[in-house]
Amino acid sequence: MLSETAAAVGAAGVQPFIIVNALRNVAARSLWREWTVAEAPSEEPAADRMTGASPDLRMYLFGPFTVLGPDGEELTPKSRKSRAILAMLAVAPRGSRSRVWLRDKLWSDRGEDQASASLRQALLDIRKSLGPRAAHVLTADKNTVSLDLAAVAVDALELAARERRGEEGSTEHFLEGIDVRDPEFEDWLALERQSWFARLEEAGFEADLAPRPAPSEARREASQAVPRTSPPAAPQPPQSLLRQEDEGGWRVAMMPPVILGGDPAAAVLQADVQRALRRALVEAGDLRLVDMAPVALGDLGAGLAGGGLLARLPEQVHLSVQVRVLADQSYLRVGIVLQNPADNALVWSDEVIVPRRESIGEASFAMPLIVRATEEATLHFLRRHGTEGAEAEGRIAAAVASMFRLARGDLDRSEEILRRHLDRTPTAQGYAWLAFLNTFRVGQRFNPADAPLIEETQHLARRALGLEPNNALVSALVGHIHSYLFGEFDYAAALFEQSLRVNPAQTLAWDLYAMLHAYAGQPKRALAMARWARHLGAFSPHRYYFETTRAITGNFSGDHQTAIDAGQSALAERPDFNSLLRVLVSSNAHLDRPEEARMFLERLLQVEPNFSVASLRDAGYPGLDTEGGRHFLDGLVKAGVRKH
């Protein structure tokens, strides 16, 4: 029987992921490229849509890496690492990577000076191969290297267009034969190959693929997107996912898995799901894992409930979690089971089923299942200890539950819980959540003296990232702070990319990354990410928050019916949330629904009596000077919102 999660996937029109060459990697790469290739760029991708001119270069990423000129002349660099640089730039956000990032991926075993010299030599090799066109296509300054995507036709985008039209396409040989013997590059390549097999075909997953010219040097120097500090290094696995020494944690026993069917693919799939689930549980903040001794693959001696292992659990453990995988000729079935070790009673279980032809041993299609299992584990302990008890103990889960209610009193209560938590056990997540809470106060304009609050927020974020730089949730929360409060989009994007590499099931990272794209002038990509975040968080107690992001990004991208549907859904849970009311005013005005726009405006003015376009700008609301932001403001003015 298909689980509720699997049914939700089918109802959303989302196909499970198809993955190969993923045995070395636990987590799927950030699905950045899925959003940029989800829809066809145009019927004629080889021409610049703004000018109609043919591109300077054609680049092939599937099959042997190849670069051709407009007349078909071979321009492929000879050096393997030069080819790798072009390939990495071609699939990078905005076609740009920092020099530090490129050095780390290709010369990770060398000192900084030697790696810098090698990078300079590789860039010279690229320019030599491209000839006179290099000056127009490749730009590099002391910080970044960029490929002008308006001047390069990449076969990957055309492949995505063909697949969308139902034509045959193969993605089995992404960067075939590119042999760069650096472990960092090999990890990047394996993760990138995974992403090209993700086909999220939900209707409306539209990405604005119009290539944008690289910014001029003057604009780049003046851009607020230049980070104040260097982006973090690529994440390393945590020293330990277990924190058993913390007696205050809510303990969860990770039981040995059950694998039925004797299929190697099932064993690989189980390992990936279990690792991803472990990471998600640890990042929940309050949960502490007790890892029971593993059993050999396919060994069923432990039984479905772990057999005698339950008797060896510490008394403090009140929940066990187990991954179960069944393989037959047609399907792979993945289930997660939560039980009470005291009496073996079932707490929660669910499963997803995927046809064998659509999944080869990788955890990505099970992400919604992993997300829900983590939420159910946290809710189990909240119910067991009671909300008041959890608040008194300074539990992060209690603080987050209160925070997302958004009322002034609830934010105050959440702050009290977090400060109590930090007094008892100063943790990265405690600092990160407290910093994130402050963004609500700034955004909702609950505190008129924002400057000291913003300064404290910056301090808290720095403290959190310093304690746990590889925690996916911490990276996402800090990324939002740098995006929303400081407009440091490049630095924030690096944090979000890091978060999703570490844990692709981190729903909040997808949601907040969607908002960054809206702020940065890429609303259609933002809406695509928001849809995926809502899918992952379909059963979350904070799903209204994900619907709010879908409403905002829908408005910014001009999809006003989506904005209204999502906004009204979220408003049912948060009737006084001003961010929702603003969107509903704007989108109804754009759809020529004056009565509805006026109704929501009246409700908005009850929450914000002095609301105007000028007040929104004065509050520093990001993204208003982008095309999507101006579209949002135009709707407000059309509905009758005062300009001053």
Side-chain angles (χ1 to χ4, degrees):
M1 181 179 65
L2 285 174
S3 66
E4 294 178 4
T5 303
V9 172
V14 179
Q15 298 299 318
F17 293 76
I18 308 174
I19 312 293
V20 299
N21 294 331
L23 304 189
R24 297 181 56 203
N25 298 281
V26 175
R29 174 189 180 270
S30 154
L31 297 186
W32 167 269
R33 293 304 301 169
E34 278 79 87
W35 315 128
T36 62
V37 302
E39 297 289 334
S42 71
E43 292 300 317
E44 297 180 357
D48 186 316
R49 294 197 297 274
M50 298 299 293
T51 66
S54 297
D56 290 354
L57 300 175
R58 178 171 290 278
M59 188 179 299
Y60 296 91
L61 302 184
F62 291 100
F65 177 82
T66 306
V67 180
L68 300 179
D71 298 326
E73 65 270 33
E74 176 75 41
L75 302 176
T76 308
K78 295 180 180 179
S79 165
R80 292 192 298 267
K81 293 193 175 181
S82 298
R83 299 178 185 184
I85 289 171
L86 287 175
M88 290 190 289
L89 292 176
V91 297
R94 303 177 301 282
S96 181
R97 287 293 185 188
S98 70
R99 285 179 178 266
V100 173
W101 191 91
L102 292 171
R103 292 200 307 259
D104 288 346
K105 290 293 179 286
L106 296 172
W107 296 278
S108 63
D109 58 345
R110 301 185 188 180
E112 181 177 346
D113 291 343
Q114 187 177 5
S116 296
S118 297
L119 176 57
R120 287 194 297 271
Q121 184 60 44
L123 294 176
L124 287 173
D125 179 53
I126 292 172
R127 291 189 176 98
K128 180 179 179 181
S129 299
L130 300 184
R133 296 181 184 85
H136 305 291
V137 172
L138 188 71
T139 59
D141 57 27
K142 64 180 181 180
N143 295 316
T144 59
V145 180
S146 301
L147 188 69
D148 185 354
L149 297 181
V152 182
V154 181
D155 66 335
L157 302 183
E158 298 175 20
L159 173 66
R162 291 198 301 272
E163 289 189 348
R164 179 174 178 259
R165 293 192 295 267
E167 300 173 10
E168 291 295 325
S170 173
T171 59
E172 296 182 359
H173 303 291
F174 181 81
L175 293 180
E176 175 187 345
I178 193 164
D179 184 18
V180 175
R181 299 184 180 181
D182 187 291
E184 291 292 330
F185 177 80
E186 292 300 322
D187 285 346
W188 173 86
L189 180 59
L191 292 168
E192 190 71 30
R193 281 171 173 163
Q194 291 178 26
S195 75
W196 284 100
F197 287 85
R199 288 294 173 259
L200 304 181
E201 296 176 348
E202 181 180 358
F205 258 43
E206 298 165 343
D208 181 8
L209 298 179
R212 297 190 298 176
S216 65
E217 290 297 323
R219 181 182 174 188
R220 183 180 291 117
E221 290 177 2
S223 172
Q224 287 187 335
V226 176
R228 297 181 183 178
T229 55
S230 298
Q236 299 297 323
Q239 293 292 322
S240 173
L241 286 175
L242 303 181
R243 293 186 278 192
Q244 300 183 40
E245 71 282 356
D246 184 356
E247 294 296 334
W250 293 337
R251 290 177 172 244
V252 179
M254 177 68 76
M255 306 303 291
V258 171
I259 306 172
L260 302 175
D263 191 309
V268 173
L269 177 61
Q270 170 274 314
D272 283 350
V273 171
Q274 183 136 333
R275 291 190 188 104
L277 177 61
R278 284 164 52 89
R279 191 174 300 279
L281 289 168
V282 168
E283 289 174 0
D286 295 305
L287 305 181
R288 301 293 179 264
L289 296 189
V290 177
D291 207 7
M292 304 307 292
V295 296
L297 294 176
D299 183 359
L300 301 182
L304 291 180
L309 287 175
L310 290 174
R312 304 199 335 243
L313 290 176
E315 292 183 1
Q316 300 94 332
V317 174
H318 300 293
L319 186 68
S320 68
V321 57
Q322 185 176 58
V323 175
R324 302 175 181 178
V325 179
L326 169 64
D328 61 23
Q329 293 182 349
S330 302
Y331 293 92
L332 286 171
R333 184 191 304 259
V334 179
I336 298 177
V337 179
L338 306 182
Q339 291 178 280
N340 187 337
D343 56 7
N344 232 14
L346 179 67
V347 173
W348 174 87
S349 68
D350 207 342
E351 64 182 13
V352 290
I353 302 174
V354 61
R356 289 292 299 269
R357 60 184 172 78
E358 295 180 356
S359 177
I360 305 179
E362 208 278 341
S364 297
F365 75 88
M367 275 195 242
L369 180 66
I370 293 168
V371 169
R372 192 175 180 197
T374 304
E375 292 169 347
E376 291 292 338
T378 300
L379 289 173
H380 167 76
F381 285 101
L382 279 174
R383 289 190 293 264
R384 179 182 177 86
H385 290 258
T387 302
E388 291 185 2
E391 290 180 357
E393 295 170 0
R395 299 292 182 183
I396 288 178
V400 172
S402 184
M403 182 188 311
F404 277 95
R405 287 194 287 269
L406 293 183
R408 187 194 301 268
D410 291 314
L411 291 180
D412 292 342
R413 186 177 300 108
S414 179
E415 181 176 350
E416 291 174 6
I417 299 168
L418 287 171
R419 293 196 185 278
R420 192 178 303 126
H421 169 85
L422 291 171
D423 288 341
R424 181 173 63 92
T425 52
T427 64
Q429 288 199 30
Y431 287 116
W433 276 117
L434 187 55
F436 183 75
L437 182 149
N438 284 348
T439 67
F440 283 127
R441 294 195 188 278
V442 174
Q444 301 255 353
R445 305 176 70 231
F446 287 155
N447 191 333
D450 284 342
L453 188 66
I454 291 174
E455 184 176 353
E456 181 199 33
T457 302
Q458 190 173 29
H459 168 74
L460 293 168
R462 188 182 304 115
R463 188 79 180 271
L465 204 58
L467 285 175
E468 285 194 63
N470 297 320
N471 184 295
L473 178 61
V474 169
S475 296
L477 294 175
V478 174
H480 177 66
I481 289 159
H482 282 273
S483 166
Y484 182 71
L485 293 184
F486 307 127
E488 296 176 346
F489 298 142
D490 284 355
Y491 181 60
L495 288 169
F496 284 124
E497 288 285 333
Q498 170 174 311
S499 173
L500 293 170
R501 281 196 299 268
V502 172
N503 181 9
Q506 185 50 258
T507 311
L508 194 57
W510 286 111
D511 180 86
L512 299 174
Y513 202 9
M515 287 307 305
L516 179 148
H517 282 77
Y519 302 152
Q522 297 175 317
K524 291 189 177 180
R525 290 175 182 171
L527 179 57
M529 284 187 175
R531 283 184 169 123
W532 178 242
R534 186 199 60 162
H535 172 63
L536 284 179
F539 299 98
S540 169
H542 315 308
R543 57 186 172 271
Y544 86 91
Y545 190 77
F546 308 135
E547 287 282 43
T548 300
T549 299
R550 192 165 69 101
I552 294 171
T553 56
N555 177 279
F556 272 47
S557 64
D559 187 347
H560 294 294
Q561 191 58 55
T562 291
I564 291 171
D565 292 343
Q568 290 183 329
S569 173
L571 204 65
E573 296 187 52
R574 293 295 181 272
D576 296 326
F577 191 13
N578 56 355
S579 293
L580 286 169
L581 293 168
R582 296 166 185 167
V583 167
L584 288 169
V585 170
S586 176
S587 286
N588 275 289
H590 275 300
L591 292 184
D592 294 322
R593 300 174 180 175
E595 294 183 3
E596 289 87 345
R598 189 178 307 110
M599 177 190 68
F600 287 116
L601 178 56
E602 290 174 356
R603 292 176 61 176
L604 175 61
L605 292 176
Q606 291 177 0
V607 178
E608 286 188 87
N610 298 318
F611 178 73
S612 66
V613 171
S615 70
L616 199 60
R617 288 191 177 278
D618 291 343
Y621 193 91
L624 296 182
D625 291 326
T626 66
E627 182 178 352
R630 289 189 291 270
H631 185 71
F632 167 58
L633 295 178
D634 288 344
L636 294 177
V637 172
K638 185 177 181 180
V641 172
R642 293 180 293 110
K643 292 185 178 181
H644 301 287

